Amino acid sequence: MVAVGMRILGIESSCDETGVAVIDADAHGTPRLLGASLHSQIAMHQAYGGVVPELASRDHIRRVLPLTEAALAEAQCSLESIDLIAYTRGPGLAGALLVGAGVAVSMAAGLGRPTMGVHHLEGHLLSPFLSVDPPEFPFVALLVSGGHTQLMQVDAVGSYTLLGETIDDAAGEAFDKSAKVLGLGYPGGPALAALAERGDPKAFKLPRPLLHSGNLDFSFAGLKTAVMVQFNKLGPSPTEQSRADLAASTQAAIVDVLVKKSLTALESRGANRLVVAGGVGANRALRMALDTACQARAIRVHYPELHLCTDNGAMIAMAAALRWQAGLFDTERPPQYGFQVRPRWPLDAIDDGA
Ligand code: KG4
Ligand code: ZN
């Protein structure tokens, strides 16, 4: 018998955020978010200037059950009413992934319910479906997170073709590493963006790597070196204005490349819809530049809501709901309670790990 409705609990624990959410889905129509809870480990990792994997895993263990209770309480439903438990299978930190996966599978075994291991990037990619004006397929997606920078052709749920990606650092990494050079804390993206608000984006000439390469690949490793060279030229005590100018110039270099490559991808696919997802998708300068460029070309741009750009449980529950609706989840198969996480898992190899 085909299930007519599905209540899904989603657990995200791939890096430095523990997120849990409850979503209700019918066979058709956009699934509804009933409740969500989130804990960010940023404050804990700040002292180390980056994510410490062992600390991340331990903190996920501490947080995941109280967060599950909080999400269920907000959704006003019991654990017993959950039909399916979804968790992030990968990519991400192995130990951190194991916490979410272990808890999800244990709870599911206790309840006698099935589980679904979700691809973290598919979660990001489908997160705009949690906004009031969800996109329609097909679209080109710009995935910009701390670990990934990719352009994808998305024809349907589960149908992802890689068009181009970074050959070295991700866009989020470029933000984070440049922020470190500028003496800003972790995570550097939001801090650099805030400092850039007061700076002149044309003050420093910085490279736009692979801007005219003719393909859809990115390279950001050279940018942080260029930022370091410029920063060292400012001497031992740079003024606040010169730091802001360098931050603004760095942001402009990253944004220019992301916008140009996105437009090239849209053009090459004859597409008129762009979906932006991942932590860097929260960047205001990127949003403004993409909006302006796309408006001029009659291209619709969709973003996740700001608080859903970075990691969260809702996007994992949503990806599970959309996969179920698309018939990509076999509800007839008896639940399996063994599990494996996939710390490295390319999105276009998503079917290898399901
Ligand atoms: O998607 P995400 O939460 O985690 C990964 O899956 O990697 O993305 C985190 C990344 C970090 O590099 C962070 O600095 C960046 O997104 N980020 C931003 C902004 N907010 C988060 N970068 C630029 N501007 C922002 N406002
Ligand atoms: Zn992420």
Side-chain angles (χ1 to χ4, degrees):
M1 203 185 76
V2 177
V4 288
M6 192 65 109
R7 182 167 291 172
I8 300 168
L9 183 80
I11 300 178
E12 155 63 29
S13 72
S14 67
C15 188
D16 56 351
E17 263 99 25
T18 325
V20 184
V22 182
I23 276 188
D24 244 359
D26 298 324
H28 305 285
T30 308
R32 298 168 304 282
L33 180 65
L34 302 184
S37 58
L38 185 72
H39 175 77
S40 170
Q41 302 176 355
I42 283 176
M44 182 180 78
H45 296 297
Q46 236 151 16
Y48 305 92
V51 178
V52 183
E54 180 61 26
L55 293 183
S57 312
R58 291 178 193 201
D59 201 64
H60 286 306
I61 293 173
R62 267 196 296 275
R63 308 284 176 183
V64 67
L65 289 179
L67 287 169
T68 301
E69 281 169 9
L72 288 167
E74 191 189 330
Q76 297 188 318
C77 66
S78 65
L79 187 58
E80 289 71 29
S81 73
I82 298 293
D83 301 306
L84 167 69
I85 302 190
Y87 61 92
T88 305
R89 171 175 285 156
L93 301 170
L97 290 166
L98 280 168
V99 176
V103 167
V105 171
S106 313
M107 284 198 294
L111 293 166
R113 303 286 193 278
T115 61
M116 191 195 298
V118 172
H119 197 294
H120 180 80
L121 295 183
E122 183 174 44
H124 276 304
L125 202 63
L126 300 177
S127 60
F129 285 88
L130 286 155
S131 56
V132 283
D133 182 22
E136 279 166 36
F137 297 107
F139 53 79
V140 166
L142 172 68
L143 257 178
V144 271
S145 70
H148 294 84
T149 298
Q150 299 184 328
L151 279 160
M152 313 278 311
Q153 169 72 29
V154 179
D155 291 315
V157 176
S159 173
Y160 311 119
T161 311
L162 183 66
L163 303 175
E165 67 180 331
T166 184
I167 57 171
D168 43 52
D169 288 356
E173 250 175 312
F175 269 104
D176 293 340
K177 289 179 177 174
S178 303
K180 215 171 220 175
V181 171
L182 288 162
L184 301 168
Y186 154 87
L192 190 143
L195 183 59
E197 293 281 326
R198 304 191 289 276
D200 173 6
K202 295 200 168 74
F204 292 87
K205 247 185 136 60
L206 292 171
R208 268 75 172 149
L210 301 189
L211 189 64
H212 302 294
S213 64
N215 64 19
L216 296 172
D217 287 338
F218 304 84
S219 165
F220 289 111
L223 181 62
K224 86 174 171 259
T225 314
V227 172
M228 199 182 297
V229 169
Q230 294 296 342
F231 186 73
N232 289 339
K233 280 189 196 161
L234 296 177
S237 7
T239 64
E240 188 57 19
Q241 190 56 50
S242 62
R243 285 173 71 241
D245 288 345
L246 187 50
S249 303
T250 306
Q251 177 172 263
I254 298 170
V255 166
D256 271 3
V257 178
L258 294 177
V259 172
K260 169 85 174 17
K261 297 274 174 170
S262 299
L263 293 176
T264 309
L266 287 156
E267 212 167 280
S268 73
R269 307 302 296 194
N272 60 4
R273 202 176 282 275
L274 176 70
V275 163
V276 183
V280 181
N283 186 270
R284 215 171 66 88
L286 175 65
R287 286 184 176 220
M288 278 168 56
L290 279 175
D291 285 345
T292 307
C294 289
Q295 220 164 36
R297 293 164 178 81
I299 292 165
R300 280 286 315 266
V301 194
H302 294 261
Y303 306 95
E305 288 180 29
L306 267 182
H307 69 285
L308 297 174
C309 282
T310 45
D311 296 347
N312 61 84
M315 69 184 198
I316 300 305
M318 180 55 107
L322 294 174
R323 285 188 80 79
W324 169 71
Q325 284 185 332
L328 296 172
F329 181 69
D330 183 1
T331 44
E332 299 294 305
R333 195 173 132 205
Q336 318 259 318
Y337 298 122
F339 63 92
Q340 275 182 329
V341 295
R342 299 276 309 261
R344 290 172 187 277
W345 187 11
L347 184 54
D348 53 355
I350 190 164
D351 294 328
D352 302 354

